[in-house]
Amino acid sequence: MSKVTTLGGLEPFDYVQILLSDERQIEGRATAIDYVPNESLRLELRPRHSGVRYELVAEHGGTRWSPVHVRRCDTEADETEWEDLSNVRGVTVREDTPASV
């Protein structure tokens, strides 16, 4: 299954771990999912107990998907600005457990 299909198939509040192409890892709950097959993907992840938001986006270019790109924003900072991070290398959907709620 492709990364876009996996991310687009998430349900709100699914817990996801993302491996970025620069080897950093991010994780959080899916809070907003806008997926149109063969067109676009926009997914927002929010880590627990944090004001950080991650936005994952990809576009379909007619024959294939662009890499899924990740941006980060800290809503608790004085100035709320998006920071480009990296592209998604791997996706793991985690089973919901009481510890992850």
Side-chain angles (χ1 to χ4, degrees):
M1 195 182 264
S2 78
K3 291 176 247 176
V4 171
T5 305
T6 300
L7 293 168
L10 294 173
E11 297 291 329
F13 305 110
D14 281 350
Y15 192 78
V16 184
Q17 290 180 312
I18 304 291
L19 175 62
L20 301 177
S21 58
D22 64 4
E23 300 299 321
R24 286 186 283 180
Q25 291 187 354
I26 63 172
E27 58 186 52
R29 292 207 177 276
T31 58
I33 306 162
D34 182 14
Y35 175 57
V36 180
N38 297 317
E39 190 174 310
S40 63
L41 167 72
R42 181 189 167 281
L43 170 70
E44 185 175 295
L45 293 180
R46 290 190 180 227
R48 292 184 309 147
H49 313 295
S50 172
V52 172
R53 291 172 34 197
Y54 294 101
E55 181 184 62
L56 291 73
V57 293
E59 299 287 328
H60 195 275
T63 57
R64 64 183 179 175
W65 285 95
S66 67
V68 181
H69 188 72
V70 181
R71 301 186 316 160
R72 175 188 186 276
C73 178
D74 185 350
T75 60
E76 295 176 348
D78 291 336
E79 293 185 28
T80 305
E81 294 185 23
W82 287 98
E83 170 191 0
D84 283 320
L85 294 183
S86 189
N87 292 333
V88 172
R89 184 168 144 203
V91 176
T92 304
V93 180
R94 305 294 294 198
E95 188 171 313
D96 204 11
T97 64
S100 65
V101 174

